[in-house]
Amino acid sequence: MSNSLTYLQHYPQHLQDQIQQMLEAQQLGDWLRSRYKGVHNINNDKELRDYALDIKNQYMKKTQPLSKVVYDNKIHIVNHALGLHSYVSRVQGGKLKSKNELRVSDLFKNTPEPFLNMIVVHELAHLKEKDHNKAFYQLCRHMLPDYHQIEFDVRVYLTELDNSGFVFTPPSA
């Protein structure tokens, strides 16, 4: 298996072979752009917070509130992750207070909205389910029925991003 398919190593070999062929033929970016037209316009932390809260309020009203939702330019490099959720618990008086934070890699600032949606849904699901278990993925599919397809496409996007340096927006001159 090629090192260029790091993000796809747990998928069936026939899918890896198809992606590898498109990668070698330099067709992977075109394939992604044909499936996903344009990029979203959620460009700052306030817009991202509003976006995440809308999804949370629609599907997870009874979960703990979010104290912070931000784009983070260090996630992908430092943690090999696309998003992070964190919980900070403190005792205030006689009560235990917790703060929930979501951080989304800034790699998703210039992607189609379904990619951002998948990352936000994934991190929101961790508010209720800590582990990547059956209940976690059922919750993800409840919020985003085609979750698994978009997750696969995000992994293909990351593969092409590593290969060419850009997919949906050309590099700055």
Side-chain angles (χ1 to χ4, degrees):
M1 175 175 41
S2 170
N3 288 338
S4 63
L5 299 180
T6 304
Y7 303 106
L8 300 165
Q9 62 188 353
H10 299 292
Y11 286 91
Q13 189 61 48
H14 73 279
L15 290 176
Q16 291 182 48
D17 292 344
Q18 287 176 0
I19 298 302
Q20 185 65 43
Q21 287 172 1
M22 284 193 284
L23 192 63
E24 289 170 1
Q26 297 182 352
Q27 297 172 338
L28 203 51
D30 292 337
W31 179 79
L32 284 164
R33 287 185 291 275
S34 73
R35 287 180 58 85
Y36 298 95
K37 309 288 186 208
V39 298
H40 64 77
N41 60 356
I42 302 163
N43 298 315
N44 60 49
D45 293 343
K46 181 186 181 322
E47 291 169 349
L48 180 61
R49 177 181 171 78
D50 292 344
Y51 182 80
L53 287 176
D54 285 347
I55 296 169
K56 180 190 175 302
N57 290 336
Q58 183 175 356
Y59 295 104
M60 303 175 67
K61 290 179 184 174
K62 295 181 181 181
T63 57
Q64 298 252 342
L66 292 172
S67 61
K68 190 177 200 178
V69 180
V70 295
Y71 282 113
D72 191 323
N73 64 356
K74 296 176 185 156
I75 288 179
H76 188 65
I77 297 165
V78 174
N79 302 94
H80 302 288
L82 305 176
L84 293 173
H85 58 283
S86 60
Y87 310 93
V88 179
S89 297
R90 291 192 178 93
V91 176
Q92 274 185 335
K95 295 183 179 180
L96 183 65
K97 300 272 186 169
S98 67
K99 290 186 174 190
N100 294 300
E101 296 182 359
L102 295 184
R103 295 178 178 274
V104 174
S105 172
D106 70 351
L107 289 175
F108 292 94
K109 277 187 173 181
N110 294 308
T111 62
E113 190 271 337
F115 289 11
L116 178 65
N117 188 288
M118 190 278 302
I119 297 300
V120 169
V121 161
H122 183 100
E123 298 309 327
L124 285 172
H126 279 303
L127 294 176
K128 190 170 183 181
E129 296 291 335
K130 306 303 182 220
D131 297 321
H132 293 119
N133 55 26
K134 186 176 181 178
F136 173 84
Y137 286 108
Q138 284 177 334
L139 180 55
C140 288
R141 283 193 317 273
H142 171 70
M143 291 188 280
L144 183 61
D146 53 350
Y147 175 86
H148 290 297
Q149 179 63 54
I150 296 171
E151 180 184 36
F152 175 79
D153 291 349
V154 164
R155 291 173 178 275
V156 171
Y157 159 71
L158 293 170
T159 300
E160 177 61 11
L161 191 64
D162 281 357
N163 182 58
S164 69
F166 73 96
V167 179
F168 295 104
T169 56
S172 304

